[in-house]
Amino acid sequence: MRVDIVSIFPEYFAPLDLSLIGRARANGTLRLAVHDLRGWTHDVHRTVDDTPYGGGPGMVMRPEPWGEALDALAPAELTPPRLLVPSPAGVPFTQAMAHELAAEPHLLFACGRYEGIDQRVLDHAATRMPVTEVSLGDYVLFGGEVAVLVILEAVTRLLPGVLGNAGSLAEESHAHGLLEAPMYTKPATWRGLPVPEVLRSGDHGRIARWRRDEALVRTGRRRPDMLTGLDPQSLDKRDVAA
Ligand SMILES: Nc1cc(-c2ccc3cc[nH]c3c2)n[nH]1
C-alpha cells in the first residue's frame, strides 16, 4: 500500500517511523511519504491560509496550494488514490471502514488546520478521485494530523504481515460486532484477585462460551448501540436463552 500525507506540520508524523508501522515501511509493506503543504506555495511567506468569505472567526486554508499538491500526488495519468480528509463534519471512522481502506492500493490524506480547507479543493478533487471526509468522533481537534495517525494505525495493522499474530485480529473488539471479553495472564492470583476459573479449565468450548457471554454483557453495558445491529442468529441457542 502507498500512503501520501499532506500537512503543514509534517513533524507530527515522526511516530510513523516507530514500531510496527516503522517495520512495515522498512519491509516495503507500506510505502509512506509525508509532504509539507508549504512546498506548494510560491510567496515569500509561504502563505496557506486566508480570511473566510462571509466573515466568521479564524482562517481558511487557501485552495491554490492544495490544488497543486493534489495534482502532484494524484497525477491524471495514474490510477487515482482515495482522498481522505479528516473533519468534524465527516462520516464516522469505523473498523469496517478500516478494513475497506486496507484494501486500497493508494491512500492520500489531506490534513486541514485553522477552520478547515476551502470546500472547492474537495469538490474539484471529487471530479477525479474518491473523496471521503472522515470523523474520528464528536469532538474537535486542532487539525487533521492526529486523526490521520489514528486512521493509519487502524488500517496498517490489518495489512498482511504487519501484526505478528494475525489471530489477534479475530477476537478483538469490533471484530464480531461486540467488545472483546476481559483478558488475563499470570499470576493466577494477584493481590487476592483470581483469574476466572473457566480460563484455567482447559475446556476450550466452555472458554469460548464464557468469552462470548462476557463480550455480550460488556457490550450491553457499555455500547448497547452495537447490539441493535447484531444478528440474533449469530448467537448460539444458550446465549439467547440466558
Ligand atoms: N473527528 C474530528 C476531526 C477533527 C478535525 C479535523 C480536521 C481539522 C482542521 C481544523 N480542525 C480540524 C478538526 N476534529 N475532530
Side-chain angles (χ1 to χ4, degrees):
M1 172 185 283
R2 176 183 167 186
V3 173
D4 286 294
I5 304 171
V6 183
S7 167
I8 60 171
F9 294 119
E11 57 275 21
Y12 244 96
F13 297 98
L16 296 178
D17 294 328
L18 305 172
S19 186
L20 294 181
I21 291 185
R23 191 171 69 184
R25 295 177 69 183
N27 70 24
T29 301
L30 179 64
R31 290 177 294 122
L32 184 140
V34 182
H35 312 271
D36 186 341
L37 178 68
R38 295 187 196 275
W40 286 283
T41 60
H42 307 290
D43 63 303
V44 67
H45 299 296
R46 312 186 81 196
T47 310
V48 292
D49 64 312
D50 205 333
T51 54
Y53 275 116
M59 303 290 273
V60 175
M61 299 192 94
R62 296 171 52 232
E64 299 94 330
W66 278 110
E68 290 187 32
L70 299 186
D71 289 348
L73 297 171
E77 61 273 15
L78 295 182
T79 305
R82 178 146 180 197
L83 177 61
L84 294 158
V85 186
S87 163
V91 296
F93 179 65
T94 62
Q95 189 67 11
M97 188 186 286
H99 281 281
E100 191 188 304
L101 297 181
E104 293 283 348
H106 184 191
L107 300 179
L108 174 52
F109 289 94
C111 297
R113 277 275 158 167
Y114 306 101
E115 298 304 314
I117 301 171
D118 186 300
Q119 182 60 40
R120 291 167 294 179
V121 173
L122 283 68
D123 295 347
H124 183 270
T127 66
R128 60 193 197 82
M129 71 187 87
V131 179
T132 307
E133 287 187 71
V134 56
S135 167
L136 289 195
D138 294 340
Y139 45 82
V140 184
L141 302 169
F142 278 123
E145 286 81 6
V146 168
V148 171
L149 285 170
V150 170
I151 293 166
L152 264 184
E153 185 155 316
V155 171
T156 53
R157 68 191 294 278
L158 299 175
L159 297 178
V162 173
L163 262 193
N165 171 17
S168 56
L169 289 175
E171 292 309 316
E172 63 189 10
S173 286
H174 305 283
H176 294 301
L178 295 175
L179 301 182
E180 64 192 8
M183 310 295 277
Y184 299 85
T185 186
K186 294 186 282 298
T189 299
W190 176 72
R191 295 189 178 180
L193 300 171
V195 169
E197 175 276 329
V198 61
L199 296 180
R200 302 177 63 216
S201 67
D203 180 336
H204 296 293
R206 221 180 121 215
I207 292 168
R209 284 193 300 277
W210 180 88
R211 283 177 167 159
R212 175 74 174 184
D213 288 352
E214 287 297 310
L216 278 167
V217 167
R218 181 178 264 195
T219 306
R221 285 182 181 147
R222 298 178 183 176
R223 291 291 307 275
D225 59 293
M226 288 174 67
L227 291 181
T228 51
L230 193 65
D231 172 13
Q233 297 303 319
S234 70
L235 306 173
D236 70 32
K237 296 295 172 278
R238 197 174 52 79
D239 285 342
V240 173

